[in-house]
Amino acid sequence: MDLKKLEEIPKNYLKEILGSLSKLEKLKKIPFFTGIHFKDAERALERKIETYKSVERDARRVWKIVELSRNDNRPQCRDYIKGIFEDFVDLSGDRLTGEDKSIIAGLGKINGRTVAAIGHNKGKDIKERMIYNFGMGIPQGYRKSQRIMELADRFGFPIVTFIDTPGAYPAIEAEDDGQAGAIAKSISVMFKVKVPIIVVLVGEGGSGGALALAIGNEVAMLENSTYSVISPEGCAAILWKNPSGTKLAARELRLTSGDLLKLKIIDRVIPEPLGGAQNAPERMVKIVKRYVTGALERYVRISGDELKSAKASKFESMGFFNKE
Amino acid sequence: MEKNKCKNCNKEIENEIFVLNLWVCPYCNYHHTIDARDRLQITADSNSFNELGKNISSVDFLNFYDIKSYGERLKETRLKASLDDAIIVGDAQIEGNDVALGIMDFGFMGGSMGSVVGEKIKILSNYSIGKNIPLVIFCTSGGARMQEGTISLMQMAKTVSSIGRVKENRIPYITVITNPTSGGVSASFATIADIIIAEPHALFCFAGPRVIKQTIKKNPPPDFGSAERNLKNGQVDMIVNRGDLKDTLANLLRLFRG
């Protein structure tokens, strides 16, 4: 066997391959077996090496998407609101303890209709990022969102959310203020409202912090956005126990728009300008505007009760398991 | 005689006393983690439990491979653990009160929530609605099951939606937080209950102490995420010793009957 092939295998799998190789070499020394017996075993091993090589290539492809989803020059929630809504008014505070700037919420007009918008905003330079806390929400932000969603529901305003967050803010104060309960409540409010909810994942869809704003009648993802239960870095730290597993983790987690469409977790993929949204931010905003406008037209015709029950059955049917 | 060491105060406890005391240290009141079968035995009236959703099991639908395949991990875990997945659900009686009862097990892949946990909670919710009986869930979990990718994240939505229907039907929903409960389970069905009870010292948080440490670059305070701190912060209704849980649950169930 050509040992050069081994160089392209991800480090994490090398041990396994080397183990099989040495086992094969040992077997070869037993005089009872003739050469023919090893051909199949060698071929199987080579196939395995090929698989691992393609895994490595695929992991690199997925990692590029992860990097694109985090690109600073992609349009952010604020850009989409500016480009899509007219007469937009920002609303602040959870009316309990404070205001979370990392989550934008407010009302504006699309095609003459009042629509509520909520979304994470990461900020584009270091100064902005400090203000927006890198788009990492705290309980006050999720409770503000709930307040605006309930308000929208009462007045019959459809809701559009823009998801772009590494995750909810992991901090002592956020935990003390009930981060877990705030996220759970947001999810629960999104199931209760009877107005149409359109969710657009525009960048990073990080875990519970993203899901808290992502229960939609229709959930769309930009081509190079991601949506994951944990960051690839976090997953590698836990399962691979080593940062070298990060790219492989990104692949295994199936966090790309294509994967998630196949798994029916999302309903639609919105194509990006060539090379990614950062290459033509204004065009990206226009594409999303066309999508949101069209989606609203489709959903405002459906009755509230139907919207609510369809949303529940969509999410309640998610899952794969064996049933005897 | 067989002896156990308390995980908290290191004192030796005779096995018989340990079991009689429901795996709580008689010296420091530390509540040791117990598996779902033991929990069931000390919670439900004897022979009252009928398991639901027994025919459902986890499957490696993504061919998730880290240093081992998810399929292999499942096989190994099933041999070790007392259950087929991280939760058992069924109907039971607590001091004669009918309940739809769910009990999670930390021993099965850290009590992680994947498709099976989500589906079983949906089955249990539907049962609770169908029979119009209160829903009680004992929680313990490290969070979502990463090996099921974003589908595991969606189980948070699925469980909140199913239990939301229980609540809309004006059926009481009580959770008991046991050590540890964090991540996706904390941020979904564990915290939307009408009543949240915690066992003493139980860790109950969204981001665990390790994650917090990475962010703030120092150790969080020793009581971070503890049941006691959660009680002070208004995140749980009460802290109840393991020995008193059954009585407390029965009393609450009677109160809800009006």
Side-chain angles (χ1 to χ4, degrees), chain B residues 3 7 36 46 49 58 99 129 163 167 173-174 181 183 185-186 189 216 219 226 246:
Chain B
K3 284 191 174 169
K7 278 191 182 156
S46 51
F49 184 73
S58 290
V99 288
I129 295 167
I163 292 174
K167 294 175 77 180
Y173 170 43
I174 302 172
T181 300
V185 166
S186 287
F189 64 86
I216 61 171
N219 281 323
S226 68
K246 196 171 172 172

Side-chain angles (χ1 to χ4, degrees), chain A residues 155-180:
Chain A
F155 290 94
F157 306 148
I159 300 165
V160 179
T161 68
F162 300 99
I163 312 299
D164 188 15
T165 176
Y169 189 44
I172 295 169
E173 309 84 71
E175 292 290 331
D176 283 348
D177 288 343
Q179 186 79 286

Side-chain angles (χ1 to χ4, degrees), chain A residues 299-320:
Chain A
Y299 279 91
V300 289
R301 295 160 203 266
I302 305 171
S303 81
D305 288 324
E306 203 177 314
L307 284 173
K308 182 171 176 247
S309 70
K311 194 168 49 189
S313 49
K314 176 172 92 166
F315 283 94
E316 284 189 38
S317 68
M318 286 183 189
F320 296 91

Side-chain angles (χ1 to χ4, degrees), chain B residues 61 63 67 86 126 180 192 196 200 223 226 233 235-236 258:
Chain B
F61 58 93
N63 291 315
I67 46 177
N126 288 342
I192 56 166
I196 305 177
D223 71 336
S226 68
N233 289 327
Q235 306 301 338
V236 299

Side-chain angles (χ1 to χ4, degrees), chain A residues 47-59:
Chain A
R47 262 203 302 277
K48 208 171 203 177
I49 292 175
E50 282 306 314
T51 315
Y52 284 157
K53 270 160 60 182
S54 76
V55 163
E56 174 72 8
R57 271 198 301 277
D58 201 39

Side-chain angles (χ1 to χ4, degrees), chain A residues 10 12-13 55-56 58-60 62-63 66 70 226-256 259, chain B residues 62-67 146-150:
Chain A
N12 303 281
Y13 302 133
V55 163
E56 174 72 8
D58 201 39
R60 266 185 242 143
V62 173
W63 187 250
V66 172
R70 295 171 177 174
T226 57
Y227 195 10
S228 183
V229 63
I230 186 169
S231 70
E233 289 87 347
C235 182
I238 297 170
L239 292 180
W240 277 262
K241 305 204 168 21
N242 194 329
S244 75
T246 301
K247 288 179 193 177
L248 289 170
R251 175 186 182 271
E252 296 302 315
L253 285 165
R254 310 298 198 284
L255 42 69
T256 68
D259 288 321
Chain B
L62 293 178
N63 291 315
F64 192 101
Y65 193 102
D66 45 89
I67 46 177
M146 289 172 285
Q147 290 89 345
E148 296 191 12
T150 313

